[in-house]
Amino acid sequence: MEYTQLGRTGLKVSRIILGTLNFGDQTTEADGHTIMDAAHADGINVFDTANVYGFGENKGRGEKIIGRWFAKGGGRREKTVLATKGYINMAPDNKPWPNDEKLSALNIRQSVEASLKRLQTDHIDLYQFHHVDRLTPWEEVWQAMDVLVQQGKVLYVGSSNHAGWHIAKANERAARRSSLGLVSEQCIYNLAERRAEMDVIPAAQDYGVGVIPWSPLHGGLLGGAIRKEQSGSARRTATGRSKDGLANGKVREQVQSYEDLLDKHGLEPGEVALAWLLSRPGITGPVVGPRTLDQLASAVRAVELKLSDELLASLDEIFPGPGPTPEAFAW
């Protein structure tokens, strides 16, 4: 496993981040524990979750599964850089009490305390804002986080699904308080969805914020979707982003060209999609959500896969990026 610094911090993190979105949903607790043990064995030290994972009536179940795994001991907690998120309401019926969502100081405090209890730990290494709160001023957000950091309950703060100007504003407000500010941004970014290159990634690089791409395979679209569809082994391609993508003629043509290109090189689509992200400037490491040990092993292999300049150029031809702003829309 390779490691890098998380943004401008001294924290060393693995280039692959274990996502636990499926825990308690598509992945049983026992399988989740097995996958986490295997991840440690492979050198993966960052596990990403969120208070809402489990979804529906099972909100919070994802954190509880990790908490019960920590409780087994054996240095599991000490070896893990634990990342979780807050923002989304936790009411099973999606009808929260007025302050049970977003980033008010009250909800931040309550959300962190609840996550700590579910995770069976005394601190969260990276606490991420799951989305932008357009109503709460950053001064209030940082006041709440500064207290939690001083209490030792949170070590670092990150964002998710924030625009470039949100990252800039957040860190400028933090600087006024002599706070460290955001050190990471978790955004959707992959070969098929490159809009983050316009402003999110440049802003993150300028402020020393590590970029953690989620959905690196674009919901399975970049993991050999057409090949699996034709073989009848498709699972993720039957629903969601991958299904919608393949229903689009232009997207389907791109994916077919992608798979044909990699067939010529004898490469696995999913591994190439991860390796491409790892080759991009400013990227800390993608979040992968394996449901099986084979999928985890495939993600680990991607770290050692170095793509040639010729192949990278061919990938750009199939999935052209928008380019940074303002050049993307100006001379």
Side-chain angles (χ1 to χ4, degrees):
M1 180 53 59
E2 295 179 0
Y3 299 89
T4 189
Q5 306 300 121
L6 179 62
R8 63 190 183 282
T9 75
L11 186 67
K12 291 185 178 181
V13 294
S14 51
R15 295 302 310 277
I16 292 293
I17 294 171
L18 180 67
T20 62
L21 174 68
N22 294 321
F23 287 10
D25 183 17
Q26 298 185 48
T27 303
T28 66
E29 179 163 343
D31 287 344
H33 285 196
T34 299
I35 288 172
M36 287 188 284
D37 281 332
H40 268 185
D42 287 330
I44 297 173
N45 73 333
V46 187
F47 294 0
D48 177 76
T49 186
N51 59 352
V52 74
Y53 286 177
F55 302 103
E57 296 182 354
N58 291 319
K59 288 180 181 179
R61 187 177 179 187
E63 288 185 329
K64 290 179 180 178
I65 289 174
I66 295 173
R68 287 191 283 268
W69 180 73
F70 284 153
K72 292 182 177 181
R76 287 175 169 83
R77 177 64 185 96
E78 292 77 9
K79 294 177 181 178
T80 302
V81 175
L82 174 63
T84 191
K85 311 178 194 73
Y87 174 93
I88 301 173
N89 80 75
M90 294 295 289
D93 56 4
N94 290 320
K95 295 179 180 179
W97 198 240
N99 292 303
D100 286 351
E101 61 181 353
K102 300 189 177 179
L103 301 179
S104 69
L106 177 59
N107 189 50
I108 286 175
R109 177 176 178 176
Q110 292 177 336
S111 295
V112 168
E113 294 291 352
S115 285
L116 289 172
K117 183 176 181 179
R118 286 190 292 268
L119 289 161
Q120 299 192 45
T121 186
D122 63 356
H123 73 282
I124 294 164
D125 299 300
L126 176 63
Y127 192 73
Q128 303 160 105
F129 307 132
H130 214 157
H131 210 287
V132 176
D133 184 347
R134 295 178 174 85
L135 299 179
T136 305
W138 278 106
E139 289 82 359
E140 178 180 347
V141 173
W142 287 125
Q143 177 180 317
M145 295 311 305
D146 285 347
V147 171
L148 291 166
V149 170
Q150 291 163 6
Q151 292 174 337
K153 294 179 179 180
V154 171
L155 300 187
Y156 300 96
V157 183
S159 58
S160 182
N161 305 306
H162 282 50
W165 73 270
H166 292 131
I167 294 171
K169 186 175 182 179
N171 276 0
E172 291 297 332
R173 293 295 190 272
R176 294 180 185 179
R177 300 176 57 86
S178 298
S179 300
L180 184 59
L182 300 177
V183 302
S184 66
E185 159 60 20
Q186 190 174 145
C187 61
I188 184 168
Y189 182 46
N190 55 58
L191 268 168
E193 175 48 84
R194 297 178 59 171
R195 284 177 290 181
E197 294 174 1
M198 296 181 71
D199 76 331
V200 175
I201 293 175
Q205 287 182 281
D206 196 63
Y207 280 92
V209 172
V211 176
I212 302 173
W214 62 266
S215 194
L217 303 187
H218 209 55
L221 196 68
L222 300 172
I226 294 178
R227 181 190 302 176
K228 293 175 182 178
E229 180 186 67
Q230 293 173 344
S231 68
S233 62
R235 178 175 176 178
R236 297 191 70 184
T237 53
T239 60
R241 187 178 297 118
S242 187
K243 178 183 177 182
D244 294 341
L246 292 182
N248 181 302
K250 180 180 179 181
V251 173
R252 189 179 187 90
E253 183 179 345
Q254 285 180 306
V255 174
Q256 185 66 69
S257 297
Y258 174 66
E259 293 186 15
D260 289 345
L261 172 66
L262 301 187
D263 282 343
K264 292 179 182 178
H265 289 270
L267 297 171
E268 290 296 320
E271 293 175 16
V272 169
L274 294 176
W276 178 83
L277 280 170
L278 291 169
S279 75
R280 304 299 297 171
I283 301 303
T284 299
V287 177
V288 300
R291 297 189 307 276
T292 67
L293 291 178
D294 286 343
Q295 291 175 346
L296 177 64
S298 178
V300 172
R301 286 194 296 270
V303 177
E304 300 179 355
L305 180 60
K306 306 305 177 185
L307 307 181
S308 67
D309 291 341
E310 178 185 359
L311 182 55
L312 288 170
S314 296
L315 292 173
D316 278 336
E317 290 180 5
I318 297 172
F319 298 106
T325 55
E327 290 81 1
F329 53 76
W331 56 270

